[in-house]
Amino acid sequence: MNGKQLKNSILQWAIQGKLVPQDTNDEPASVLLERIREEKARLVKEKKIKKDKNESIIYRGEDNSYYEKFLATGEVKCIDDEIPFEIPQGWEWCRLRNIIKGTNAGKSPNCEKRPKNNEEWGVLTTTAIQENGFLPSENKVLPQNYKINLEHSVKYGDILITRAGPINRTGIVCMVDKECDKLILSDKTVRIDYMSNYCNPAFIVFVLNCPAIHELLMRVTVGMAASQVNISQENIQNALIPFPSINEQNRIVEKITNLNPMITKYDFEQQQLEELNIYLTTQIKKSILQEAIQGKLVPQIAEEGTAQVLIEQIRQEKQKLVKEGKLKKSALTDSIIYKGDDNKYYEQIGSKVVDITGDIPFEIPPTWMWCRFGTIVKMRIGKTPPRGEQVYWSNGKHNWVSISDMVEGGTIKAVKEKVSDIAVNEIFKCYPTPKGSLLMSFKLTVGRTSILGVDAYHNEAIITIVPYADVNNIFRDYLFYILPTISNSGDSKDAIKGKTLNNKSLNNLLIPLPPLLEQKRIVTKIELVNSKIKG
């Protein structure tokens, strides 16, 4: 549970009457509501507020159902389906409109977005309204000739609510707890004019920010555009809230105020713990992979043979592909890396032998072999059709993978973009990479690996990797796990936004190669450990 979840739980307990004890000496909320109605009637008579045509009383009938009676018409309707939870004896359900004078929205004239000085007027932005307080740091400055309506000015002690914008920023309530000068409400912000002698404003804020009540309020939002919503002032006024005596409101506010520093401390400690867990998980995974590529994760089994057997199978497959015309003959000129009697490592290419001891990063078991990446796999680099040519992108039917589509250490099940038949015929001129293939990014985010879950083409920062002599994808899965570690130790170059490998450096990557059956046991062990340290 994080700090926000803890705070929401406390708010829920508070508005259900479970945070502080009830006092039988308190005036019942029904009496308080009656006094509020009398006060509002007086204000209407003095023409200080407008008469509320939808004023109502909510009560519980003898059948234990909840009813709402509208005072202007006498209409009564059952509202059981609106009541989200039970409240203590002495509390009442009511509409927000029944305990406030009204609401007031502002305007949004053309403004300049910059910090205002002390002599200028500004329009309050929705970002100033936060669940944890009032933060009027960024405001739009009004034109000098704009006529200010003081009814729209923001004052210390106001209750404000966001009524329009992104769904995660709408319906948020706060109290203006800082002195502010020369600010007016925007059309996306609403002031709630509460009855100061009958309601604790902080209690109203807590109630409206409580998830259970906030959810009821958001049910009446109207979509304006993608991810944009709007709540009318009418619907804000119609918000259903639980209402206790003023004394209990004060006790609840005092309790939550006292708990807030502890919630803040808890949230900080929780975040620190989560960061530590992420760090430890990452380090453990890195350590496991390091153990895996050094032959220390699983024991070697003599009956599984050596990597030399796999190298020979790769050589035979390549000879077969050359004979079938599917591979260039030059691919048969492989490098052979071996350890000499002097314990040094040598690489032989044709008749040339070079000491590469300084290139070998660590020791591996005697049943393993070092080899160059380009000698054990086929690689295919992707392409990006010209962005300015719409014929390549419009009416796209064929999946096209970019690095942002790649699920790190996972399977690509969907892509953001598709290319057209024309792009396939003129740019790619080949079949798509088949589902189940291994992809790796080698630019910017070097070493991100994913398994294709769909047939797809991909861009020029990604390679398709097809291991030779693979059986049941054992070799593929081994590379899937070790390449993020291995590729980042390769001969990368600086790029504008990160690192990049090129065709030469990809081919020259040094790969620690175990026997095929040991690869399978390594993969099984990695997946088992990952399942136990999710993160």
Side-chain angles (χ1 to χ4, degrees):
M1 178 184 288
N2 59 33
K4 182 175 177 59
Q5 291 168 331
L6 176 61
K7 184 173 183 178
N8 286 342
S9 295
I10 290 170
L11 289 178
Q12 187 62 39
W13 276 67
I15 69 170
Q16 288 185 252
K18 297 178 180 179
L19 185 63
V20 298
Q22 280 75 53
D23 187 338
T24 55
N25 295 318
D26 286 346
E27 176 185 70
S30 57
V31 176
L32 179 58
L33 286 171
E34 180 58 35
R35 291 200 290 117
I36 291 174
R37 280 191 290 273
E38 291 172 356
E39 175 65 11
K40 289 181 70 176
R42 183 183 68 79
L43 293 172
V44 169
K45 191 174 182 179
E46 295 174 0
K47 297 184 178 181
K48 293 181 178 179
I49 63 171
K50 293 180 180 179
K51 182 175 178 59
D52 183 2
K53 296 178 181 179
N54 293 313
E55 187 177 11
S56 65
I57 298 174
I58 295 174
Y59 63 92
R60 200 163 194 173
E62 294 180 357
D63 57 358
N64 275 330
S65 286
Y66 284 94
Y67 294 91
E68 182 171 17
K69 180 178 180 179
F70 295 90
L71 300 184
T73 63
E75 177 192 357
V76 176
K77 68 175 183 178
C78 180
I79 59 168
D80 280 345
D81 58 340
E82 292 189 58
I83 303 297
F85 49 79
E86 289 297 319
I87 52 177
Q89 187 175 356
W91 288 41
E92 298 291 337
W93 284 103
C94 65
R95 302 289 178 188
L96 179 64
R97 68 188 320 129
N98 293 325
I99 61 168
I100 64 174
K101 299 175 186 176
T103 57
N104 184 13
K107 304 289 184 182
S108 280
N110 293 327
C111 298
E112 182 181 347
K113 190 172 183 181
R114 60 178 172 82
K116 73 181 187 69
N117 62 41
N118 293 333
E119 303 303 318
E120 296 174 311
W121 278 81
V123 175
L124 189 69
T125 60
T126 57
T127 54
I129 302 175
Q130 305 280 333
E131 284 185 40
N132 297 322
F134 180 64
L135 301 172
S137 56
E138 294 183 9
N139 297 291
K140 296 179 180 179
V141 177
L142 283 166
Q144 290 185 353
N145 60 350
Y146 184 79
K147 187 176 180 180
I148 305 297
N149 182 347
L150 292 179
E151 288 185 2
H152 295 155
S153 64
V154 179
K155 302 181 294 296
Y156 179 86
D158 281 349
I159 295 177
L160 306 179
I161 181 171
T162 56
R163 61 171 290 269
I167 192 166
N168 64 332
R169 288 286 312 134
T170 305
I172 296 176
V173 187
C174 82
M175 183 184 298
V176 178
D177 55 1
K178 299 175 181 65
E179 291 292 344
C180 55
D181 185 38
K182 296 184 177 180
L183 283 178
I184 66 168
L185 300 166
S186 74
D187 63 340
K188 295 181 180 180
T189 55
V190 170
R191 175 174 43 237
I192 298 171
D193 292 326
Y194 57 92
M195 310 281 287
S196 57
N197 294 329
Y198 304 92
C199 305
N200 187 314
F203 175 78
I204 295 175
V205 172
F206 291 147
V207 169
L208 294 177
N209 275 333
C210 180
I213 303 301
H214 179 77
E215 182 181 344
L216 291 176
L217 183 60
M218 293 303 289
R219 285 180 187 176
V220 294
T221 57
V222 177
M224 299 162 60
S227 74
Q228 298 284 312
V229 295
N230 176 60
I231 314 174
S232 68
Q233 290 192 66
E234 182 75 13
N235 286 329
I236 291 172
Q237 293 176 13
N238 279 337
L240 188 67
I241 66 169
F243 196 62
S245 68
I246 186 64
N247 287 339
E248 188 158 355
Q249 290 178 42
N250 293 336
R251 291 196 299 272
I252 289 170
V253 169
E254 182 181 10
K255 185 72 171 180
I256 294 176
T257 302
N258 291 336
L259 287 173
N260 275 338
M262 289 181 272
I263 296 171
T264 301
K265 183 178 179 181
Y266 170 86
D267 189 42
F268 175 77
E269 298 292 345
Q270 183 67 22
Q271 288 180 22
Q272 294 289 100
L273 179 60
E274 288 177 2
E275 290 174 7
L276 179 60
N277 285 336
I278 291 171
Y279 172 77
L280 290 176
T281 298
T282 302
Q283 292 304 113
I284 290 171
K285 286 184 175 181
K286 285 182 178 179
S287 297
I288 289 167
L289 289 174
Q290 195 61 42
E291 292 283 292
I293 63 177
Q294 293 185 38
K296 298 177 181 179
L297 187 62
V298 298
Q300 283 69 55
I301 298 175
E303 290 75 15
E304 291 179 351
T306 68
Q308 183 61 52
V309 175
L310 179 56
I311 291 292
E312 179 59 27
Q313 290 171 346
I314 289 172
R315 187 184 66 81
Q316 291 175 9
E317 181 176 328
K318 290 167 79 172
Q319 285 179 337
K320 178 174 175 290
L321 291 172
V322 168
K323 190 178 291 186
E324 294 172 352
K326 298 177 181 178
L327 193 66
K328 292 180 180 179
K329 193 172 182 179
S330 59
L332 297 178
T333 309
D334 288 339
S335 82
I336 299 172
I337 298 174
Y338 61 92
K339 196 172 189 179
D341 293 337
D342 56 0
N343 278 330
K344 291 184 177 181
Y345 283 93
Y346 297 91
E347 181 174 19
Q348 180 176 348
I349 302 176
S351 59
K352 185 178 179 181
V353 178
V354 180
D355 182 351
I356 61 165
T357 304
D359 297 336
I360 301 299
F362 48 80
E363 288 297 318
I364 54 176
T367 55
W368 291 34
M369 289 184 67
W370 283 104
C371 57
R372 299 290 183 184
F373 190 49
T375 68
I376 60 174
V377 303
K378 289 180 288 184
M379 289 180 282
R380 187 171 79 185
I381 297 176
K383 297 177 182 178
T384 298
R387 288 290 184 178
E389 301 291 339
Q390 286 303 307
V391 292
Y392 296 140
W393 300 96
S394 59
N395 300 315
K397 301 176 184 176
H398 308 277
N399 296 315
W400 181 81
V401 178
S402 66
I403 292 177
S404 64
D405 294 315
M406 293 183 68
V407 180
E408 189 169 2
T411 300
I412 301 169
K413 297 180 180 178
V415 297
K416 299 180 185 70
E417 295 182 279
K418 296 189 178 186
V419 293
S420 66
D421 289 335
I422 298 174
V424 169
N425 294 329
E426 295 184 4
I427 303 297
F428 296 100
K429 300 177 183 179
C430 62
Y431 291 107
T433 298
K435 175 181 178 181
S437 297
L438 173 61
L439 300 187
M440 185 183 81
S441 60
F442 64 97
K443 294 181 180 180
L444 308 182
T445 52
V446 171
R448 178 179 293 180
T449 56
S450 297
I451 303 296
L452 257 183
V454 293
D455 294 346
Y457 297 93
H458 55 76
N459 73 13
E460 70 282 0
I462 300 170
I463 52 170
T464 297
I465 298 169
V466 181
Y468 293 112
D470 197 5
V471 178
N472 296 326
N473 291 326
I474 294 173
F475 202 173
R476 180 204 71 178
D477 292 346
Y478 173 70
L479 293 174
F480 172 71
Y481 283 110
I482 73 159
L483 279 175
T485 300
I486 297 295
S487 60
N488 277 284
S489 63
D491 185 20
S492 62
K493 306 294 182 183
D494 289 329
I496 294 175
K497 295 182 180 179
K499 295 288 186 179
T500 181
L501 297 169
N502 56 31
N503 193 55
K504 181 180 177 181
S505 56
L506 282 169
N507 278 294
N508 285 337
L509 278 176
L510 281 167
I511 303 292
L513 190 68
L516 200 61
L517 291 178
E518 188 170 343
Q519 291 180 32
K520 184 176 182 180
R521 289 190 291 114
I522 289 171
V523 168
T524 300
K525 188 73 170 182
I526 291 172
E527 290 177 345
L528 175 63
V529 175
N530 284 349
S531 70
K532 295 184 180 297
I533 57 165
K534 292 178 180 178

